[in-house]
Amino acid sequence: MARENITKEKSFAFAIEIVTLYKILLDRKEFVLSKQMLRSGTSIGANIRESEHAQSKADFIHKLSISLKEANETEYWIDLLFETKYLSQSEFEFIKPKNVELLKLLTSIINTSKKT
């Protein structure tokens, strides 16, 4: 039986939410900031997937560190879109905690991996 990878699953679900949010923002005629959010928000999971086939522990940590940077950038775009009134309060309160959860998960995995 395959082992569950909660980080992989959560990052994929988050990417789906980011794509959905991007489509909503396009309808609101916001094309630049939303594209940045789409790029960084979907890159989180892509780098987590890459880490599954890392060639070494250092490579694994490196791939997850890239995911962490992308998650941090995504948080910036989410905050900016909210503060500039492109995201409603409810949209912001829906997506922001999911991003924060990924930041915490990735930070924990990276720190644990560095210790072992």
Side-chain angles (χ1 to χ4, degrees), residues 4 32 38-39 49 53 57 65 69 75 80 93 96 99 111 116:
E4 184 179 311
V32 179
L38 176 69
R39 187 202 53 74
R49 289 278 179 105
H53 299 286
K57 183 177 174 179
S65 294
K69 289 178 184 181
E75 184 176 42
L80 185 60
E93 289 174 359
K96 174 84 176 207
N99 192 74
N111 289 340
T116 59

Side-chain angles (χ1 to χ4, degrees), residues 10 14 17-18 21 37 44 71-83 87-105:
K10 285 184 180 284
F14 182 73
E17 296 296 343
I18 287 292
L21 189 55
M37 181 195 66
I44 299 165
N72 192 50
E73 180 182 340
T74 301
E75 184 176 42
Y76 173 81
W77 296 120
I78 290 168
D79 289 344
L80 185 60
L81 284 160
F82 176 66
E83 292 298 328
L87 290 181
S88 68
Q89 184 77 35
S90 62
E91 290 164 336
F92 178 76
E93 289 174 359
F94 175 78
I95 199 72
K96 174 84 176 207
K98 293 172 189 260
N99 192 74
V100 170
E101 181 180 19
L102 284 172
L103 283 164
K104 289 178 181 179
L105 274 169

Side-chain angles (χ1 to χ4, degrees), residues 23-37:
K23 290 177 183 178
I24 291 167
L25 289 166
L26 288 181
D27 289 342
R28 294 178 187 161
K29 308 291 186 226
E30 199 306 300
F31 305 107
V32 179
L33 303 176
S34 59
K35 185 75 166 189
Q36 292 290 107
M37 181 195 66

Side-chain angles (χ1 to χ4, degrees), residues 53-64:
H53 299 286
Q55 296 175 336
S56 65
K57 183 177 174 179
D59 188 36
F60 174 78
I61 292 168
H62 176 70
K63 296 282 193 269
L64 289 185

